[in-house]
């Protein structure tokens, strides 16, 4: 069954082979609809952001970077909230489903936080002439990125599924509080020095620019949901494969014992 | 639960008194760090003098890292993890006990480091009320976070590198708050420092709560 | 009377490895059972499973009336495990170790002192750091903790290994005293000639599976 | 680099990263589903 890898970000896949009735990938009717929706929305966003909306009086063309930077930030924070909620659910209800959700959401959060940093730096270059500025938003995003790397490191280094769920849940549970504390402390810190802060959500833009921004955030949220569903299904299958390997090990060990 | 916490804390401190690792290794390490900062920042150009609070607290964080690693290396000896779980001590009591022991060692370190800074960087100490309060609340936060991440990394084969990766970014706001608060204390307007103390308090509370919740689950794994 | 230990096709995990693949075992109160089997057969895992230290993933597992599949924490306080590791702090002295482990388990100081004398540790060894003791002496301190705690279920993993004759006789006496006092003992050992006279029944473990239980006495 | 250059760079980085990640996830999903019996491929 060859899959047509189109250049859109949701490559369609051929009909599942007749013999094996089950789904052949993490796609399903729901994700296909959502996928198309995300595609269309990103197309509209591109048109709105790059062509239709006017350049900003003050920022010039670089305001168009906001239409991608701010949605990515919003999606990143949404992913963080999901991770923390999932982690608390894991510790509270020992539920394995939430462990997979938290793990998937954390991975997405790391990708989105990295993109936030990159787009933030690309924004910084024309605006302040330098890639990195110890501005409140960029700094707290950087610390957040390090915390997420710690989460992924814990998840990768623990072999045993049960203890992996517990340990990553404890780190995951602390992500949101950490974000709040880091933001608060960096805000106070930078306000002591009054140097240029990244003009974020409200550069007194309105009209079409504001609409594009909000539309961008909606698109990013849809994209996050789509990615989360697929990543969750991958995590679920990976966990099932691990479980099978375990059952085989038990069977082999028992056969060995009885045989010898 | 408090009875168990003091029992564990006294045991940890007695192990430290017997083995003298903190006093013989971590304190000298801290002084080395201070000296290296002085080499790096060339004392008479004033930079060192302005940066003293920051450098002091960076040194404290590194010492905290070593103290936590040491605290859990003691438990890694053969059979101790099993024995601890068989005593039926409440996980929360074990967590508080170990955190208390780390906190006490940190306070001793902070005092010694303080002397080191006064001698090496001839810093004039002032604003004692704010300074002591900052040390106490910050130490509580650092010990709470350190103990939680310490047990989380314990038992994993990459624990030496995992602990710094987990603990130091989490302690970033603590470094910020303690440095600003210390600057305010040493400078003239101590009023400026109190909000930072509030932040340190919130930090300590968040991690103490997380520790009391998470420690039991973390002790459970093989 | 419900058996102290009741395992039916119990499987337990050591990390992701199914160290125990299917154990069947019933031990009545006050009984001494010898667990035999080659190295790596799962003897240690069987003991640690009974102590509630390993997650039981399938089959039945009840110890001292607690179902290990739902709650394996509460049973631990009533179990004493003497494994390969001594479970003692090398930096602390014999007396400090004993006092900590005894009070941690809820027994009081007097039990610790009594155990010191019972194990002949009250003399010059009392204030020696455990790290500087010989393997035999360390085993003696570990036994002292057990004697002081008086758990209902004793799980002994190779208790005679590396001991001189005099210490081995002491181990035998302690096992007999414990059984006489109503405790139940599960003894894993290679040294059959030493261990068999102590045990009422023998169970063989191989590849994480208990095969047959042969009567002795 | 003109302002448009930075705008293009910003957009390109995001699109490439998202498409790359999405493709990787989908490909891994397809590979894993081949190793599992049909009824185990979905959580539902």
């Amino acid at each position: 069954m060859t899959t047509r890898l189109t250049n859109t970000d949701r490559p369609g896949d051929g009909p599942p082979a007749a013999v094996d009735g089950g789904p052949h990938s993490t796609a399903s009717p729901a994700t296909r609809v959502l996928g198309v929706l995300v595609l269309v929305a990103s197309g509209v966003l591109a048109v709105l952001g790059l062509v239709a909306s006017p350049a900003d009086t003050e920022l010039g063309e670089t305001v168009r970077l906001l239409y991608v930077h701010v949605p990515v930030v919003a999606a990143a924070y949404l992913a963080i909230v999901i991770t923390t909620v999932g982690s608390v659910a894991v510790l509270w209800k020992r539920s394995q489903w939430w462990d997979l959700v938290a793990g998937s959401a954390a991975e997405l959060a790391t990708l989105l936080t990295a993109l936030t940093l990159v787009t933030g730096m690309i924004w910084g270059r024309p605006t302040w002439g330098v890639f990195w500025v110890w501005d409140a938003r960029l700094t707290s995003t950087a610390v957040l990125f390090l915390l997420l790397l710690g989460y992924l490191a814990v998840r990768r280094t623990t072999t045993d599924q049960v203890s992996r769920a517990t340990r990553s849940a404890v780190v995951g549970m602390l992500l949101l509080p950490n974000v709040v504390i880091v933001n608060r402390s960096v805000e106070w810190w930078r306000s002591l020095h009054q140097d240029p802060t990244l003009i974020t959500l409200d550069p007194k833009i309105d009209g079409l620019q504001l609409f594009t921004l909000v539309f961008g955030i909606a698109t990013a949220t849809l994209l996050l949901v789509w990615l989360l569903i697929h990543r969750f299904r991958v995590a679920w299958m990976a966990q099932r494969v691990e479980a099978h390997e375990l059952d085989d090990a038990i069977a082999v060990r028992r056969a060995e014992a009885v045989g010898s | 639960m408090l009875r168990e916490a003091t029992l564990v804390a006294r045991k940890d401190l007695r192990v430290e008194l017997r083995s003298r690792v903190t006093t013989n290794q971590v304190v000298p390490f801290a002084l080395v760090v201070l000296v290296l900062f002085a080499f790096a920042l060339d004392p008479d150009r004033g930079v060192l003098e302005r940066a003293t609070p920051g450098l002091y607290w960076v040194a404290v964080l590194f010492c905290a890292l070593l103290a936590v690693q040491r605290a859990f290396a003691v438990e890694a000896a053969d059979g101790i993890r099993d024995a601890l779980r068989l005593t039926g001590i409440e996980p929360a009591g074990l967590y508080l006990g170990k955190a208390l022991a780390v906190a006490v060692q940190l306070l001793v370190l902070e005092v010694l480091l303080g002397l080191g800074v006064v001698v090496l960087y001839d810093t004039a100490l002032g604003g004692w009320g704010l300074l002591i309060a900052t040390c106490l609340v910050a130490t509580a936060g650092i010990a709470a976070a350190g103990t939680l991440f310490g047990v989380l990394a314990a038992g994993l084969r990459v624990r030496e590198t995992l602990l710094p990766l987990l603990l130091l970014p989490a302690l970033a706001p603590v470094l910020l708050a303690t440095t600003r608060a210390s600057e305010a204390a040493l400078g003239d307007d101590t009023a400026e420092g109190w909000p930072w103390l509030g932040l340190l308090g919130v930090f300590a509370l968040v991690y103490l709560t997380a520790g009391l919740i998470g420690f039991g689950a973390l002790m459970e794994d093989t | 009377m419900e058996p102290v230990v009741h395992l039916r096709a119990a499987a337990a995990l050591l990390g992701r490895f199914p160290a125990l693949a299917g154990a069947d075992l019933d031990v009545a109160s006050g009984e001494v059972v010898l667990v035999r089997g080659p190295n790596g057969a799962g003897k240690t895992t069987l003991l640690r499973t009974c102590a509630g230290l390993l997650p039981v993933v399938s089959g039945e597992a009840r110890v001292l009336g607690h179902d290990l599949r739902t709650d394996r924490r509460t049973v631990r306080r009533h179990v004493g495990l003497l494994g390969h590791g001594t479970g003692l702090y090398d930096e602390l002295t014999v007396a400090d170790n004993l006092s900590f482990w005894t009070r941690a388990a809820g027994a009081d100081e007097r039990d610790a002192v009594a155990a010191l004398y019972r194990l002949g540790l009250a003399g010059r060894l009392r204030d020696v750091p455990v790290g500087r003791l010989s393997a035999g002496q360390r085993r003696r301190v570990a036994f002292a903790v057990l004697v002081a705690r008086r758990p209902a279920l004793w799980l002994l993993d190779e208790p005679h290994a590396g001991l001189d004759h005099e210490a081995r006789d002491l181990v035998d006496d302690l096992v007999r005293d414990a059984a006489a006092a109503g405790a139940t003992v599960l003894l894993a050992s290679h040294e059959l000639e030493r261990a068999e006279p102590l045990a009422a029944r023998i169970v063989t473990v191989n590849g994480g599976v208990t095969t047959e239980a042969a009567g002795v006495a | 680099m003109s302002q448009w250059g930075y705008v293009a760079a910003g957009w390109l980085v995001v699109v490439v990263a998202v498409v790359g990640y999405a493709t990787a996830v989908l490909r891994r999903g397809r590979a894993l589903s081949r190793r599992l019996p049909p009824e185990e491929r979905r959580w539902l």
Side-chain angles (χ1 to χ4, degrees):
Chain A
M1 181 199 67
T2 59
T3 50
R4 269 182 356 309
L5 269 188
T6 58
N7 53 25
T8 61
D9 68 351
R10 201 197 53 66
D13 39 74
V19 63
D20 158 3
H24 266 262
S25 78
T26 50
S28 67
T31 58
R32 281 202 184 82
V33 166
L34 188 57
V36 167
L37 208 59
V38 166
L39 266 172
V40 166
S42 348
V44 168
L45 178 67
V47 166
L48 275 175
L50 297 177
V51 178
S53 64
D56 185 64
T57 48
E58 203 181 299
L59 297 168
E61 300 302 337
T62 55
V63 73
R64 300 183 193 288
L65 274 172
L66 278 186
Y67 303 140
V68 81
H69 175 74
V70 171
V72 164
V73 170
Y77 279 107
L78 182 58
I80 300 260
V81 169
I82 297 172
T83 309
T84 297
V85 165
S87 301
V88 169
V90 165
L91 283 177
W92 182 41
K93 288 212 298 294
R94 309 289 316 150
S95 114
Q96 189 213 348
W97 185 79
W98 275 110
D99 171 50
L100 295 178
V101 168
S104 312
E107 191 174 285
L108 293 182
T110 313
L111 171 75
L112 292 168
T113 310
L115 285 179
T116 309
L117 283 175
V118 169
T119 49
M121 286 199 287
I122 293 176
W123 160 275
R125 190 78 179 88
T127 318
W128 304 309
V130 75
F131 276 112
W132 183 262
V133 160
W134 287 96
D135 139 83
R137 289 198 36 65
L138 273 181
T139 317
S140 29
T141 313
V143 173
L144 175 59
F145 185 60
L146 295 174
L147 293 170
L148 283 165
L149 289 185
Y151 178 92
L152 292 182
V154 167
R155 217 175 167 84
R156 242 197 321 279
T157 53
T158 326
T159 50
D160 169 49
Q161 267 181 3
V162 173
S163 75
R164 176 174 57 205
T166 324
R167 292 171 198 237
S168 34
V170 170
V171 180
M173 158 174 85
L174 287 165
L175 277 181
L176 198 58
N178 261 327
V179 161
V180 169
I181 293 176
V182 167
N183 282 0
R184 183 66 25 243
S185 57
V186 170
E187 226 85 39
W188 282 352
W189 171 38
R190 293 325 299 162
S191 66
L192 297 179
H193 295 275
Q194 270 81 33
D195 56 24
T197 56
L198 179 68
I199 299 161
T200 50
L201 285 183
D202 40 21
K204 55 164 180 28
I205 62 171
D206 45 23
L208 188 55
Q209 288 180 336
L210 187 59
F211 173 75
T212 313
L213 204 57
V214 170
F215 185 84
I217 292 177
T219 313
T221 312
L222 281 181
L223 175 67
L224 180 71
V225 170
W226 183 81
L227 278 173
L228 195 58
I229 294 174
H230 278 283
R231 186 60 187 84
F232 171 82
R233 286 180 179 158
V234 165
W236 170 262
M237 283 197 275
Q239 185 263 335
R240 291 311 312 153
V241 168
E242 249 176 65
H244 277 303
E245 281 160 7
L246 195 60
D247 298 343
D248 302 346
I250 289 187
V252 162
R253 185 162 166 77
R254 191 171 291 180
E256 244 172 49
V258 172
S260 70
Chain B
M1 197 237 302
L2 285 184
R3 186 189 69 77
E4 285 167 346
T6 41
L7 182 68
V8 170
R10 269 226 310 280
K11 176 264 293 181
D12 267 24
L13 290 174
R14 188 168 290 144
V15 166
E16 171 43 33
L17 281 178
R18 283 266 189 281
S19 63
R20 287 227 174 294
V21 164
T22 307
T23 36
N24 289 358
Q25 289 171 21
V26 179
V27 169
F29 164 77
L31 296 180
V32 163
V33 168
L34 288 185
V35 169
L36 289 182
F37 281 149
F39 286 165
L41 295 178
D42 181 2
D44 45 34
R45 263 208 269 104
V47 170
L48 185 65
E49 202 260 335
R50 272 206 324 281
T52 301
L55 300 178
Y56 172 83
W57 284 104
V58 167
V60 168
L61 288 196
F62 285 154
C63 294
L65 209 56
L66 295 179
V68 167
Q69 261 165 356
R70 168 69 189 153
F72 284 95
V74 166
E75 308 293 352
D78 52 10
I80 285 190
R81 269 176 81 89
D82 281 357
L84 275 174
R85 292 191 298 171
L86 287 181
T87 58
I89 289 185
E90 279 292 319
L94 201 54
Y95 171 71
L96 282 180
K98 285 208 81 69
L100 200 58
V102 168
V104 166
Q105 288 177 60
L106 266 184
L107 284 175
V108 169
L109 270 165
E110 281 163 25
V111 168
L112 292 174
L113 261 171
L115 293 180
V117 160
V118 165
V119 168
L120 291 176
Y121 302 170
D122 65 53
T123 326
L125 292 185
W128 284 99
L130 177 60
L131 211 57
I132 293 175
T134 306
C135 285
L136 288 176
V137 180
T139 305
I142 297 171
T147 309
L148 178 60
F149 287 130
V151 73
L152 199 145
L156 294 181
R157 21 172 204 21
V158 286
R159 54 185 174 281
E160 283 77 18
T161 47
L162 189 63
L163 184 61
L165 175 59
L166 286 174
L167 187 56
L168 292 180
L171 289 181
V174 172
L175 180 59
L176 209 51
T178 47
T179 308
R180 293 289 86 72
S182 313
E183 266 166 13
L186 299 185
D188 32 41
D189 48 10
T190 53
E192 178 75 29
W194 293 104
W196 291 108
L197 204 63
L199 190 102
L200 285 172
V202 168
F203 184 89
L205 272 178
V206 164
Y207 271 92
L208 273 174
T209 323
L212 294 174
I213 298 171
F215 201 85
L218 290 169
M219 277 295 286
E220 256 329 288
D221 314 328
T222 45
Chain C
M1 227 273 276
E2 197 198 339
V4 169
V5 172
H6 168 68
L7 301 180
R8 191 65 70 238
L13 292 184
L14 194 60
R16 289 184 51 228
F17 174 69
L20 205 63
D24 299 312
L25 182 65
D26 276 291
V27 182
S29 171
E31 219 186 343
V32 178
V33 170
L34 170 60
V35 178
R36 258 186 359 180
N39 261 341
K43 296 199 300 295
T44 305
T45 315
L46 180 65
L47 295 187
R48 291 189 72 213
T49 306
C50 295
L53 293 172
L54 296 181
V56 178
V57 287
S58 67
E60 279 170 54
R62 294 181 65 78
V63 171
L64 293 167
H66 298 276
D67 178 357
L68 297 188
R69 296 198 60 178
T70 51
D71 161 27
R72 54 190 171 90
R73 252 194 212 174
T74 21
V75 74
R76 293 180 185 160
R77 182 186 288 278
H78 311 295
V79 168
L81 172 68
L82 194 127
H84 304 304
T86 55
L88 301 169
Y89 290 100
D90 288 354
E91 299 86 356
L92 293 182
T93 66
V94 170
D96 289 342
N97 258 299
L98 207 55
S99 129
F100 171 71
W101 290 109
T102 322
R103 293 184 44 233
D108 63 36
E109 203 61 34
R110 283 194 309 281
D111 301 323
V113 174
L116 268 182
Y117 284 97
R118 177 73 180 80
L119 270 299
L121 295 164
R124 60 175 177 68
L125 286 182
R126 189 180 180 293
D127 297 318
V128 170
V130 164
R132 284 214 286 276
L133 295 178
S134 72
Q137 289 166 325
R138 254 209 285 265
R139 180 79 45 72
R140 214 191 275 258
V141 179
F143 259 106
V145 172
L146 268 185
V147 165
R149 284 182 54 200
R150 285 199 300 280
L153 173 62
W154 287 42
L155 302 167
L156 307 176
D157 199 348
E158 308 285 350
H160 297 98
L163 294 187
D164 53 44
H165 277 296
E166 187 222 340
R168 286 177 188 216
D169 295 342
L170 183 58
V171 167
D172 296 350
D173 298 344
L174 289 171
V175 169
R176 286 199 188 89
D177 291 357
T184 309
V185 180
L186 210 52
L187 178 64
S189 179
H190 277 296
E191 312 182 32
L192 303 186
E193 80 297 338
R194 173 59 78 162
E196 250 165 45
L198 294 169
R201 272 175 40 222
I202 297 183
V203 166
T204 306
V205 172
N206 206 323
V209 171
T210 55
T211 37
E212 87 282 353
V216 160
Chain D
M1 262 259 271
S2 71
Q3 286 195 335
W4 274 103
Y6 289 112
V7 171
W11 279 73
L12 209 62
V13 161
V14 172
V15 168
V16 166
V18 168
V19 168
Y21 180 75
T23 321
V25 167
L26 286 172
R27 191 172 300 136
R28 184 144 178 253
R30 198 158 299 114
L32 280 171
S33 49
R34 266 193 293 273
R35 296 175 55 187
L36 281 171
E39 70 289 348
E40 282 200 38
R41 292 180 190 157
R42 283 297 156 74
W43 169 71
L44 295 173

